[in-house]
Amino acid sequence: MAHVLEGKVALVTGANSGIGLAIAQKFVDEGAHVYITGRRLPELEAAAAQLGSNATAVRTDASDLGSLDGLFDTIARQSGRLDVLVANAGSGSTAPLGAITEEQYDNTFDVNVKGTLFTVQKALPLLVDGAAVVLTGSTTSITGSPAFSVYAASKAAIRSLARGWIIDLKGRNIRVNVLAPGPTETPGLVGLAAPEHRQALLDNFAAEIPLGRVGKPEEIANAALFLASDQSSFVNGIELFVDGGVAQV
């Protein structure tokens, strides 16, 4: 059976672990050459080694516009185009109202909103007409979570950006969709708890999910592949929840 991304060039930001790495792996398996980014060089190099010869790692800070320029200069020089862009780089931390700091706000919005915005904008000259853009959202864009309001607001902004961009890009037939994972067993999620409390953390999330478990990175990657491929050729501007039903109840 033919690979659905055969011969495509893709970029997945924030792909040194977790969901981003799983998406990059899925894209490589489906025939794409994938550029991956991350801020932590050892983890990024390890991810590239795992992905093999069809992956190129470029150390990038999505919140730094000069760093993004370097990334796209590399892609332009080596490949000359992008068929798929997954703007996945993101960060978040918890603080209830009353304890939110300017630093937390700036860190979250600089990576999640500013980083996503300028990643897509700076990619435009390389994106082919008919390209697929996938933005990483979150179930928190429509659900309340204690002490998570700043992160949730940043992900709601991502949802809003997608709605506007499909109009801005109408003449180029570039699709923009938001992939919104629910609780997923990634280093970022389990790292919220001390080692001895990590299983309890996952169990607490699972108890709130209609399917009774947290997601796997590979399950999120399957949905990303759908949005990135021609299988979703008439899907544009949606927020696709891959969350076991938690945001729907």
Side-chain angles (χ1 to χ4, degrees), residues 68-159:
L68 288 173
D69 287 336
L71 165 66
F72 290 115
D73 286 346
T74 297
I75 297 173
R77 184 173 66 253
Q78 295 183 0
S79 297
R81 75 176 203 278
L82 276 174
D83 302 288
V84 178
L85 166 60
V86 180
N88 173 71
S91 67
S93 58
T94 58
L97 185 63
I100 296 167
T101 64
E102 184 178 15
E103 181 182 19
Q104 185 211 13
Y105 172 86
D106 287 343
N107 287 343
T108 302
F109 270 74
D110 279 356
V111 176
N112 295 359
V113 183
K114 175 185 172 184
T116 296
L117 191 164
F118 286 102
T119 293
V120 176
Q121 181 164 286
K122 289 177 179 293
L124 286 178
L126 288 171
L127 288 169
V128 301
D129 290 355
V133 175
V134 181
L135 314 179
T136 299
S138 168
T139 54
T140 61
S141 68
I142 64 167
T143 61
S145 299
F148 228 40
S149 61
V150 173
Y151 177 82
S154 74
K155 291 302 185 178
I158 296 299
R159 177 68 185 101

Side-chain angles (χ1 to χ4, degrees), residues 200-214 246:
L201 176 72
L202 295 176
D203 291 344
N204 287 339
F205 277 119
E208 302 297 323
I209 299 172
L211 280 182
R213 62 177 178 84
V214 299
V246 69

Side-chain angles (χ1 to χ4, degrees), residues 19-35:
I19 289 171
L21 178 55
I23 292 172
Q25 184 68 68
K26 179 66 66 174
F27 286 5
V28 167
D29 292 346
E30 288 295 334
H33 184 91
V34 182
Y35 289 87

